[in-house]
Amino acid sequence: MDRSIIESQPPPPAWLAHLGQPVASRLLAWEQAQTDALLADVFGYHAVQLGWPELKALRHNRMPHRWQAGAEFEWPQSNKALCAPELQNLQPPQSPPPAIPLEDDPDVWLDSRAWPWQADSLDLVVLPHTLERSADPHACLREVERVLIPEGQVLITGLNPMSLWGRRPLRGSMRLVGGAPVHSLIAYRRLRDWLRLLGFEVQVSRFGGWSPALGSERWMQRLGWMERAGERWWPILGGVYLLLATKRVPGGRLLPARPWRTVRSPAAATAPVARSDTFMAYPPAEKDAFDPR
């Protein structure tokens, strides 16, 4: 018997509770493997991960300065007074979310719509399911574009609304998960359009999770053939997607100096102009000549 079936696993986060423990564990394992492979060789000096502290996206990255940041939708209830006004009056959930372990305690807390870093100061930003949980994903992306340096990179993951995993959250335009509002999921193509408008160039696009969200790990393993078939035949219908984009800034080109102020423009050559509306301009034709005889 597989040990992963009989071993007790920690409960999933509140915003993944609707998918069940088996899907949440597979989601975390898939994203951890992808981030380890994609971010290991990203060069830079400053990197930030905003949201989902259980995912160690920067553990294999070699940048000297790496921060785990917590967003406003992950703040404990005791710190709700520091939240935005629209989040202060929210009712606590029926069952309080599990406390964040000490080893996963964020280095800094911030609002996803207003980042404390100055412009052009970060080399890498990781947003694991941050946009779909933020109150204003457009403002969050604008802040990412502001703080990233030219040629900086951003890695974004999200649940695909066109998949079996994203059908349940689409029942309402907004819901409360863990005491914070979660808006509609962002489609893959829409996110690509947003990144393109902000000057990003998508470098890597990947999908994962084609089996239905079931509450039994045994049945998830029996449906493993759907993972292989989905990866080959309908990859865009995966339950989760990943995007790695680079910030592009068009650079100027220095032209050699030219003393154009001291160069006189050549004068236009004069050309004779003859009037064509007089009788002398055209010689009389032979048929118009008059014979006096």
Side-chain angles (χ1 to χ4, degrees):
M1 183 179 294
D2 192 359
R3 295 178 58 87
S4 61
I5 299 178
I6 62 177
E7 287 182 352
S8 61
Q9 298 179 355
W15 56 278
L16 288 178
H18 66 283
L19 294 177
Q21 176 61 47
V23 176
S25 301
R26 289 170 177 262
L27 179 65
L28 178 60
W30 183 84
E31 294 191 13
Q32 188 66 69
Q34 297 296 324
T35 54
D36 290 345
L38 292 175
L39 303 182
D41 296 330
V42 176
F43 176 78
Y45 298 95
H46 304 89
V48 173
Q49 175 184 341
L50 179 60
W52 204 9
E54 290 82 5
L55 176 65
K56 307 299 182 182
L58 301 176
R59 65 180 184 180
H60 288 171
N61 189 267
R62 292 172 288 182
M63 294 188 186
H65 306 285
R66 293 168 293 176
W67 297 286
Q68 172 66 48
E72 75 280 0
F73 44 79
E74 296 176 332
W75 290 358
Q77 288 292 333
S78 58
N79 296 340
K80 285 297 181 181
L82 303 176
C83 294
E86 61 269 18
L87 300 180
Q88 295 179 4
N89 299 325
L90 293 177
Q91 298 296 329
Q94 297 295 334
S95 59
I100 300 177
L102 295 178
E103 61 271 13
D104 297 336
D105 192 20
D107 301 318
V108 59
W109 292 96
L110 56 92
D111 193 327
S112 61
R113 298 160 293 183
W115 292 36
W117 288 276
Q118 62 183 357
D120 301 336
S121 58
L122 298 180
D123 302 276
L124 174 63
V125 172
V126 182
L127 302 177
H129 303 275
T130 303
L131 298 180
E132 61 197 40
R133 303 161 63 194
S134 176
D136 192 348
H138 295 86
C140 183
L141 269 184
R142 286 193 296 267
E143 284 295 289
V144 172
E145 190 275 336
R146 181 185 65 84
V147 300
L148 276 179
I149 66 171
E151 303 300 321
Q153 296 184 344
V154 56
L155 187 143
I156 304 174
T157 61
L159 295 177
N160 188 4
M162 300 176 57
S163 66
L164 298 176
W165 296 4
R167 293 181 60 183
R168 290 186 180 180
L170 286 178
R171 292 179 179 178
S173 61
M174 185 177 68
R175 67 190 191 282
L176 294 180
V177 172
V182 178
H183 293 255
S184 298
L185 302 181
I186 304 173
Y188 164 75
R189 296 190 182 276
R190 173 181 290 185
L191 183 56
R192 286 181 64 101
D193 293 339
W194 291 359
L195 292 173
R196 188 179 298 108
L197 290 176
L198 291 175
F200 286 91
E201 180 181 353
V202 177
Q203 304 288 339
V204 178
S205 300
R206 295 180 181 177
F207 293 87
W210 292 272
S211 58
L214 302 177
S216 174
E217 178 65 27
R218 187 184 303 273
W219 280 101
M220 293 287 293
Q221 293 182 1
R222 290 181 179 180
L223 296 178
W225 61 270
M226 297 186 64
E227 298 289 331
R228 298 184 295 270
E231 185 177 3
R232 179 177 181 182
W233 298 108
W234 50 84
I236 200 172
L237 299 181
V240 59
Y241 61 81
L242 179 145
L243 288 175
L244 181 63
T246 303
K247 177 182 176 181
R248 301 299 188 188
V249 177
R253 179 181 178 184
L254 297 178
L255 299 177
R258 177 185 177 188
W260 58 274
R261 293 182 179 274
T262 60
V263 177
R264 299 181 58 184
S265 59
T270 59
V273 178
R275 296 184 59 186
S276 59
D277 57 344
T278 61
F279 180 75
M280 298 180 60
Y282 296 96
E286 295 183 358
K287 64 178 181 177
D288 296 335
F290 175 73
D291 189 1
R293 295 178 295 176

